[in-house]
């Protein structure tokens, strides 16, 4: 069983879809009795387009629906025109695509009537990007002479119903996945499955979060007992740094699940942070490969701990705020830390890193900038009495910062790594706001001003000799 996921760039234009369909058709011809299962993202930029127009509609823009309609038609019809030469087949696909676009436009128009975009409506609207791309990709495969059909993932992926960040219910989904896919595969049909979303038990569409198609692919792999999931994207694999910041970043041939999770968690966009979870739990390997350079073997992710090397990769995440809770009252008051983090947990917010400096009676933690105001409000409510009694003096936010993390299992027990990191930043006169080291010693992270990312990341990458042509660290 082969699961192949193709991201937004890999289905972003007619040429890219042609390339994607070619990879799938080649895999099919290798083993026609076991067709690959494709999982696709929306055409690059379409998810953002849907969100922007839905939000504009909620703000009272009455033309948002019509504008969206036109843009979706242009984008998908142009691609379809280049991809399916047969006029009869093409007009059937035109119709299917137009119906989906009409449906989506109606939803956006209802949003502008209501002037309200609920999380439920938003998830439903953004699911149309994948619904449309799956029709295009399946149509292209058929035009290449192999049977293929689009599959909307709300037909089998049952979720817990949490909008914008749903989790799959595996047992129920497994039964439905087998019902959906077994007949297709045994009739030698390539299913082209929408990534990104599923539906609650009541059938309400729920997305897995932005970038969630990677996760959708490994979840499907787990449901269908796949041994490997290939994530096809627009770079050769997991690189030692974001290639947009470090052009000579090196492709890592292998990386452990634990390392990949750390990288994803601290901003490496190449995989969604939850992608490896099903792989660990159900024993699959993950490979990252380049749709536009299919000769390259890519990066293999597996459970094996790294054997050698120290720092493997560096990543950065911007748009972060540091929230600090400070006061003499923090000293010796057992349970304050617990109260801080249980309040944040109740709000469902994610904390990137924590540092506590007892000499200054303060506790600082890094969170997404957009979450900071709500977190501060939660803490002010939680500590209302303490604030009145002045036991806790202040709670404040330092916005506009970024976290830089260096990742590598080989750092464990290697002395001097953090020294080199901080020396590099010090020599460049880049101020460090806070520091944390994961207790697993898989990562060392620090907070700097967001404006320093572009300078700091290449310098650290160079200091640890991670570039292409340097001695390999993996
Ligand atoms: P897709 O649309 O295929 O899901 P994404 O844009 O989500 O692709 O992720 C791939 C992008 O991630 C690459 O084009 C690259 O710019 C970015 N990226 C950031 N950090 C890394 C890294 N360490 N290794 C590889 N790519 C990275
Ligand atoms: N299309 C969705 C997004 O842009 C999901 C994905 O591509 O992974 O977030
Ligand atoms: Mg992605």
């Amino acid at each position: 069983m082969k699961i192949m996921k193709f991201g937004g760039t890999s289905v972003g234009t007619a040429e890219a879809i042609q390339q994607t369909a070619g990879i799938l058709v080649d895999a099919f011809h290798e083993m026609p009795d076991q067709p690959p299962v494709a999982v696709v993202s929306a055409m690059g930029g379409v998810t953002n387009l849907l969100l922007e127009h839905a939000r504009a509609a909620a703000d009272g823009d009455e033309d948002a629906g019509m504008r969206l309609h036109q843009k979706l038609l242009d984008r998908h019809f142009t691609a379809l025109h280049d991809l399916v030469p047969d006029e009869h087949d093409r007009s059937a696909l035109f119709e299917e695509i137009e119906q989906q676009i009409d449906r989506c436009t109606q939803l956006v128009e209802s949003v502008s009537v209501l002037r309200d975009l609920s999380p439920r409506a938003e998830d439903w609207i953004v699911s149309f990007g994948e619904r449309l791309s799956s029709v295009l990709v399946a149509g292209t495969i058929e035009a290449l002479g192999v049977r293929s059909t689009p599959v909307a993932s709300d037909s089998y992926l049952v979720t817990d119903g949490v909008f914008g960040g749903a989790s799959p219910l595996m047992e129920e989904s497994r039964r439905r996945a087998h019902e959906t896919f077994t007949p297709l595969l045994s009739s030698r049909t390539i299913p082209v499955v929408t990534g990104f979303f599923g539906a609650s038990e009541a059938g309400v569409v729920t997305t897995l979060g932005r970038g969630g198609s990677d996760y959708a692919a490994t979840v499907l792999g787990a449901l269908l007992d796949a041994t490997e999931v290939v994530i096809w994207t627009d770079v050769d694999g997991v690189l030692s740094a974001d290639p947009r910041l470090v052009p000579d970043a090196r492709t890592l041939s292998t990386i452990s699940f634990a390392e990949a999770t750390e990288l994803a968690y601290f901003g490496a966009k190449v995989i969604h942070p939850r992608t490896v979870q099903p792989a660990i739990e159900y024993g699959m390997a993950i490979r990252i490969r380049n749709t536009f350079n299919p000769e390259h073997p890519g990066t293999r992710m597996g459970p094996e701990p790294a054997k050698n090397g120290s720092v493997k990769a560096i990543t950065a995440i911007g748009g972060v705020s540091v929230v600090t809770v400070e006061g003499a009252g923090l000293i010796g008051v057992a349970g304050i830390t617990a109260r801080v983090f249980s309040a944040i947990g109740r709000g469902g917010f994610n904390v990137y890193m924590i540092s506590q400096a007892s000499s200054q009676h303060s506790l600082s933690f890094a969170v997404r900038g957009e979450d900071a105001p709500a977190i501060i409000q939660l803490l002010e409510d939680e500590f209302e009495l303490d604030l009145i009694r002045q036991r806790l003096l202040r709670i404040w936010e330092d916005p506009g910062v970024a976290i830089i993390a260096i990742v590598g299992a080989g750092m464990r027990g290697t002395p001097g790594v953090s020294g080199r990191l901080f020396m590099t930043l010090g020599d460049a006169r880049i101020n460090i706001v806070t520091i944390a080291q994961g207790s697993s010693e898989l990562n060392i992270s620090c907070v700097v001003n967001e404006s320093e990312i572009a300078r700091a990341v290449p310098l650290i990458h160079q200091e640890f000799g991670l570039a292409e042509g340097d001695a390999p660290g993996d």
Side-chain angles (χ1 to χ4, degrees):
M1 168 70 59
K2 287 176 284 238
I3 309 277
M4 298 187 170
K5 179 262 172 179
F6 293 86
T9 320
S10 304
V11 296
T13 60
E15 297 78 59
I17 292 178
Q18 200 67 258
Q19 183 75 11
T20 287
I23 290 171
L24 287 161
V25 166
D26 286 349
F28 173 85
H29 287 310
E30 258 172 46
M31 260 193 283
D33 289 333
Q34 284 179 39
V37 177
V39 175
V40 293
S41 289
M43 293 181 89
V46 165
T47 306
N48 285 342
L49 197 72
L50 291 163
L51 274 177
E52 279 159 26
H53 287 76
R55 286 175 186 163
D59 290 339
D61 179 346
E62 287 171 10
D63 300 327
M66 270 329 289
R67 282 203 314 277
L68 178 64
H69 193 268
Q70 195 52 50
K71 285 182 183 161
L72 290 176
L73 278 184
D74 285 349
R75 189 82 192 269
H76 294 86
F77 278 9
T78 310
L80 180 59
H81 194 271
D82 295 346
L83 289 167
V84 180
D86 181 273
E87 222 167 288
H88 179 259
D89 293 347
R90 196 166 64 222
S91 71
L93 290 164
F94 267 134
E95 213 168 291
E96 199 170 337
I97 286 176
E98 193 166 32
Q99 269 173 16
Q100 297 276 12
I101 295 177
D102 287 348
R103 192 82 200 274
C104 175
T105 309
Q106 278 167 9
L107 291 173
V108 174
E109 281 170 348
S110 342
V111 168
S112 66
V113 173
L114 292 166
R115 295 212 171 191
D116 177 51
L117 179 62
S118 63
R120 176 178 177 145
E122 185 174 293
D123 269 13
W124 194 3
I125 291 168
V126 291
S127 74
F128 280 85
E130 274 72 9
R131 295 183 200 273
L132 288 163
S133 63
S134 63
V135 176
L136 275 181
V137 174
T140 308
I141 295 170
E142 291 243 303
L144 295 173
V146 173
R147 255 199 298 238
S148 180
T149 186
V151 175
S153 45
D154 42 0
S155 65
Y156 75 89
L157 184 62
V158 184
T159 72
D160 62 1
V162 174
F163 298 114
S167 298
L169 305 182
M170 297 301 278
E171 282 325 305
E172 180 56 17
S173 304
R174 180 183 296 275
R175 192 181 55 72
R176 295 203 200 178
H178 282 276
E179 272 169 26
T180 306
F181 293 100
T182 308
L184 292 174
L185 297 174
S186 51
S187 66
R188 296 187 166 193
T189 304
I190 301 182
V192 180
V193 187
T194 57
F196 194 33
F197 66 93
S200 68
E201 275 168 302
V204 179
V205 175
T206 37
T207 64
L208 306 176
R210 291 304 306 269
S213 297
D214 301 328
Y215 182 39
T218 52
V219 167
L220 183 56
L223 297 174
L224 298 180
D225 304 313
T227 49
E228 187 177 85
V229 174
V230 184
I231 294 179
W232 293 87
T233 183
D234 57 2
V235 284
D236 283 340
V238 178
L239 307 180
S240 53
D242 185 340
R244 289 166 297 189
L245 287 175
V246 184
D248 62 353
R250 199 167 61 83
T251 309
L252 305 172
S253 58
T254 57
I255 187 168
S256 70
F257 285 144
E259 291 169 325
T261 305
E262 296 283 335
L263 278 179
Y265 183 71
F266 287 112
K269 200 187 162 207
V270 63
I271 56 160
H272 185 275
R274 296 178 79 180
T275 312
V276 305
Q277 255 174 34
I280 295 173
E281 208 171 318
Y282 295 87
M284 290 176 281
I286 302 176
R287 195 176 278 280
I288 313 287
R289 297 187 63 183
N290 191 346
T291 307
F292 307 98
N293 186 18
E295 288 75 39
H296 197 289
T299 300
R300 186 179 185 282
M301 285 181 198
E304 315 78 28
K307 287 183 206 67
N308 48 35
S310 162
V311 177
K312 249 186 188 174
I314 162 166
T315 182
I317 185 163
V320 170
S321 282
V322 170
V323 175
T324 303
V325 179
E326 184 193 81
L330 274 176
I331 292 188
V333 183
I336 292 266
T337 314
R339 277 170 69 194
V340 167
F341 293 109
S342 43
I344 296 173
R346 277 199 304 279
F349 296 108
N350 190 18
V351 175
Y352 287 124
M353 59 183 256
I354 300 165
S355 81
Q356 182 160 24
S358 56
S359 63
Q360 301 212 332
H361 325 150
S362 76
L363 175 67
S364 296
F365 48 90
V367 295
R368 279 179 4 162
E370 63 201 67
D371 295 344
I375 288 174
I376 290 178
Q377 186 60 54
L378 269 174
L379 294 177
E380 283 174 355
D381 292 348
E382 170 70 31
F383 290 106
E384 199 181 354
L385 270 181
D386 306 74
L387 287 165
I388 293 168
R389 291 186 196 139
Q390 301 273 301
R391 281 170 52 192
L392 267 177
L393 295 181
R394 286 201 307 146
I395 301 174
W396 77 92
E397 172 193 359
D398 290 308
V401 295
I403 299 175
I404 291 181
I406 54 175
V407 173
M411 293 194 302
R412 191 175 296 141
T414 308
V417 176
S418 44
R420 278 168 77 188
L421 169 65
F422 302 133
M423 190 83 80
T424 307
L425 293 173
D427 286 349
R429 310 206 65 72
I430 294 170
N431 186 41
I432 301 171
V433 182
T434 17
I435 295 169
Q437 173 166 336
S439 57
S440 60
E441 289 186 58
L442 272 177
N443 91 72
I444 299 172
S445 40
C446 61
V447 173
V448 300
N449 266 325
E450 194 165 3
S451 58
E452 303 285 17
I453 289 184
R455 212 155 60 89
V457 172
L459 283 171
I460 299 167
H461 193 261
Q462 192 180 14
E463 167 64 26
F464 287 101
L466 301 182
E468 198 71 68
D470 288 341
D474 64 322

